[in-house]
Each structure stands twice: as C-alpha cells, then as structure tokens.
Amino acid sequence: MDKKENIREVKYRIGLLQIEALLENGTITEEQYRELKILLVKKYEPMIGGLEFDE
C-alpha cells in the first residue's frame, strides 16, 4: 500500500468511526448508516475497508 492509499484508508476509517458513533447514540438510523458507509467507500476507495463493504 503506498502513501496515498494509506491516507485514503485512514480517512475512511475515521469517517466510519464518526458514523458509527452517530448510529450508537441514535442520531442516525441503520439505513442512514448504510447509505453513509456507501458514500465513504465511494469517496475514499479504501483498499482494506472496501473488502468489508457488503452492499
């Protein structure tokens, strides 16, 4: 993994942590969480994170 790929992966993971926190405290629904996760994958194109994408 080169530096740019690593940065994209880290940004994806940080975004994922943020939306997981929103889901846990009830700010967003499960469906909204899935939609935001899709947007994160499309925006950052994470190598490792993309593998866990289930849509």
Side-chain angles (χ1 to χ4, degrees), residues 25-55:
N25 71 22
T27 304
I28 62 173
T29 65
E30 186 72 36
E31 184 171 334
Q32 290 170 319
Y33 168 80
R34 284 191 299 272
E35 290 172 2
L36 289 169
K37 189 172 179 182
I38 290 168
L39 291 175
L40 285 174
V41 170
K42 288 180 180 180
K43 180 174 183 171
Y44 294 115
E45 299 176 352
M47 290 184 68
I48 298 169
L51 296 175
E52 64 189 34
F53 187 64
D54 57 359
E55 293 283 325

Side-chain angles (χ1 to χ4, degrees), residues 9-10 24 41:
E9 188 72 36
V10 169
E24 287 177 17
V41 170

